[in-house]
């Protein structure tokens, strides 16, 4: 069966040509899919014979809301979507003055093993298809009634570990016949897969690359992020410099503030040394506590920010949204999995 929603209009056109259909049908089908139809029968301007053929050869992805949490503090909505195979992923809708931002997942689980993240507990189950990433935008809009203007790929999973599917998703969501969100309104976060960063740079996409740095030295970063053990901070920063030179796009460096681990004056000074002369800014993230982790939120976020700025490094503190719901990435999915395990007779895949 063909995952038809993962196809761009030219790919759809090639497929439909084999079926003896005119070229304009690809635009019709593409637009229907991006409106969130869940069956081919809803595509009322297609001939019935074509709809029947599509039913036989293709399927339409459409997630189901498994759980939904809405913050009473700021209106943030966290969705747990059930996919067609029973696995679940999270999406977060965040409301800002400049528009609505959706944080999407790109994998079921994650293999990167970062110590401060609930998404990696239990490892990676599988990659998401382009359609399954796109659905998080489409169905969040439909359910919430909020028009999405910005996307951050900072949910469950490492985007560059699912490279081809993520790139296809970016082209789908950017397409003018579909959701049509511009690349400059999309941020992609990576823990630092250097070969894939170089590969991304070659594509010249005008998105914002966010590098999860979280420590300025190898000893600390390797303890927090296993990916650093085979790379090292110096190689990562050299790769970031190449990325800027090729794309002209300033990089955002994510830095989760962890009490007694990476929030001291010494680390701030090392970070300044690391970033001096390099275009970019530091996004300081107040750590969301994860029950399974001994790591605690820092009490020195503002002091750290001031020390960076006093030495010429631009630093912002991420606004903490959804403080009264399961805000940390992966927490809602983790709780759902634990509850399912406690219920006898549940399908193990759920």
């Amino acid at each position: 069966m063909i995952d038809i929603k993962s196809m761009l209009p030219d790919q759809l056109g090639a497929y439909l040509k084999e079926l003896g259909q005119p070229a304009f049908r690809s635009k019709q089908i593409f637009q229907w899919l991006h409106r969130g139809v869940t069956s081919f029968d809803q595509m009322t301007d297609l001939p019935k014979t074509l709809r029947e053929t599509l039913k036989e050869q293709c399927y339409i992805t459409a997630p189901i809301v498994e759980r939904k949490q809405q913050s009473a503090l700021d209106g943030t909505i966290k969705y747990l979507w059930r996919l067609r195979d029973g696995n679940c992923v999270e999406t977060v809708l965040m409301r800002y003055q400049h528009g609505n931002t959706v944080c999407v997942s790109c994998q079921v689980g994650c293999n990167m093993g970062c110590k401060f993240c609930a998404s990696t507990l239990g490892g990676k189950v599988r990659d998401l298809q382009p359609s399954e990433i796109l659905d998080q935008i489409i169905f969040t809009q439909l359910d919430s009634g909020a028009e999405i203007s910005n996307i951050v790929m900072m949910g469950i999973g490492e985007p560059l570990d699912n490279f081809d599917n993520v790139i296809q998703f970016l082209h789908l969501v950017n397409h003018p016949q579909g959701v049509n969100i511009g690349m400059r309104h999309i941020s992609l976060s990576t823990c630092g897969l250097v070969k894939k960063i170089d590969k991304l740079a070659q594509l010249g996409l005008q998105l914002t690359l966010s590098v999860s740095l979280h420590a300025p030295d190898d000893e600390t970063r390797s303890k927090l992020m296993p990916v650093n053990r085979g790379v090292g901070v110096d190689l990562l920063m050299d790769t970031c410099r190449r990325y800027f030179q090729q794309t002209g796009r300033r990089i955002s460096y994510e830095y989760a503030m962890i009490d007694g681990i990476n929030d001291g004056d010494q680390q701030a000074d090392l970070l300044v040394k690391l970033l001096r002369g390099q275009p970019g800014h530091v996004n300081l993230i107040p750590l969301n506590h994860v029950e399974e982790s001994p790591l605690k939120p820092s009490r020195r976020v503002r002091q750290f920010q001031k020390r960076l700025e006093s030495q010429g490094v631009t630093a912002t503190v991420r606004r903490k949204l959804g403080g009264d719901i399961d805000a940390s990435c992966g927490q809602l999915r983790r709780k759902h999995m634990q509850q399912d395990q406690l219920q006898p007779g549940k399908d193990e895949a759920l």
Side-chain angles (χ1 to χ4, degrees):
M1 296 286 282
I2 298 170
D3 177 7
I4 194 168
K5 197 184 291 181
S6 287
M7 301 171 75
L8 287 160
D10 58 337
Q11 296 167 328
L12 263 173
Y15 165 63
L16 292 169
K17 185 177 181 180
E18 293 180 0
L19 299 179
Q21 294 293 323
F24 70 87
R25 295 290 183 208
S26 64
K27 181 178 179 180
Q28 289 178 309
I29 294 172
F30 188 83
Q31 291 179 332
W32 276 118
L33 292 170
H34 287 242
R35 292 173 195 158
V37 298
T38 57
S39 75
F40 293 108
D41 287 332
Q42 293 173 282
M43 301 180 180
T44 51
D45 55 358
L46 300 186
K48 186 175 181 180
T49 53
L50 175 56
R51 282 182 270 157
E52 293 302 319
T53 300
L54 293 175
K55 288 181 194 178
E56 293 172 2
Q57 298 186 10
C58 307
Y59 65 89
I60 300 175
T61 56
I64 298 169
V65 178
E66 182 68 19
R67 293 191 184 183
K68 178 181 175 181
Q69 296 179 337
Q70 183 159 0
S71 171
L73 301 175
D74 51 46
T76 296
I77 303 176
K78 188 159 194 174
Y79 291 96
L80 185 70
W81 300 105
R82 181 175 292 274
L83 308 177
R84 58 187 283 116
D85 65 354
N87 280 299
C88 293
V89 293
E90 296 176 1
T91 306
V92 183
L93 170 64
M94 298 166 286
R95 304 174 192 273
Y96 297 97
Q97 288 185 344
H98 63 266
N100 299 310
T101 296
V102 164
C103 179
V104 300
S105 298
C106 64
Q107 294 176 321
V108 180
C110 182
N111 264 343
M112 297 299 110
C114 298
K115 302 303 181 184
F116 46 81
C117 183
S119 299
T120 195
L121 298 173
K124 187 181 87 170
V125 178
R126 68 172 177 87
D127 292 328
L128 293 187
Q129 295 300 308
S131 58
E132 294 174 314
I133 308 173
L134 178 66
D135 280 341
Q136 295 172 65
I137 310 297
I138 295 172
F139 287 93
T140 294
Q141 285 193 141
L142 289 173
D143 182 83
S144 68
E147 184 177 353
I148 307 304
S149 57
N150 297 275
I151 300 169
V152 291
M153 301 200 73
M154 297 180 183
I156 296 173
E158 161 58 55
L160 298 187
D161 187 44
N162 187 17
F163 191 90
D164 292 339
N165 286 339
V166 164
I167 297 304
Q168 182 76 351
F169 155 72
L170 291 171
H171 289 309
L172 286 167
V173 80
N174 179 239
H175 200 281
Q177 293 173 17
V179 180
N180 193 23
I181 294 178
M183 287 290 179
R184 289 177 178 264
H185 293 272
I186 301 174
S187 295
L188 184 151
S189 178
T190 177
C191 65
L193 303 183
V194 292
K195 292 182 180 179
K196 296 294 179 64
I197 292 174
D198 281 332
K199 188 175 180 181
L200 180 66
Q202 293 171 9
L203 299 178
L205 302 178
Q206 290 297 291
L207 51 73
T208 296
L209 181 65
S210 295
V211 173
S212 295
L213 187 57
H214 304 308
D217 62 282
D218 283 331
E219 181 180 359
T220 307
R221 192 168 192 266
S222 293
K223 289 178 181 177
L224 293 173
M225 306 177 69
V227 68
N228 191 71
R229 296 168 194 166
V231 178
V233 172
D234 288 342
L235 178 58
L236 174 59
M237 298 309 297
D238 286 343
T239 305
C240 290
R241 291 185 187 93
R242 287 197 301 274
Y243 183 89
F244 174 76
Q245 289 168 359
Q246 281 195 259
T247 66
R249 297 290 291 162
R250 188 179 71 157
I251 294 174
S252 173
Y253 295 95
E254 308 292 311
Y255 200 98
M257 296 294 295
I258 306 171
D259 186 49
I261 302 295
N262 65 352
D263 62 345
D265 289 345
Q266 181 181 1
Q267 279 98 352
D269 294 342
L270 284 173
L271 187 56
V272 169
K273 184 177 179 181
L274 200 65
L275 298 179
R276 185 173 285 129
Q278 181 165 313
H281 80 281
V282 178
N283 189 12
L284 300 175
I285 306 169
L287 186 73
N288 282 309
H289 177 59
V290 175
E291 291 179 6
E292 295 87 347
S293 172
L295 303 177
K296 305 297 181 185
S298 173
R299 294 164 291 181
R300 301 189 71 252
V301 177
R302 293 297 178 185
Q303 295 96 313
F304 198 90
Q305 180 190 23
K306 289 179 180 178
R307 194 168 183 93
L308 294 179
E309 291 182 333
S310 69
Q311 299 180 72
V313 173
T314 303
T316 54
V317 178
R318 179 182 292 177
R319 179 185 167 200
K320 192 170 183 178
L321 298 175
D324 56 335
I325 58 178
D326 293 306
S328 180
C329 180
Q331 279 188 332
L332 185 56
R333 173 176 173 265
R334 182 72 173 169
K335 286 184 178 180
H336 177 69
M337 291 170 63
Q338 290 171 339
Q339 290 172 4
D340 272 355
Q341 289 170 2
L342 293 174
Q343 297 180 33
K346 277 281 189 178
D347 188 337
E348 196 169 343
L350 306 183

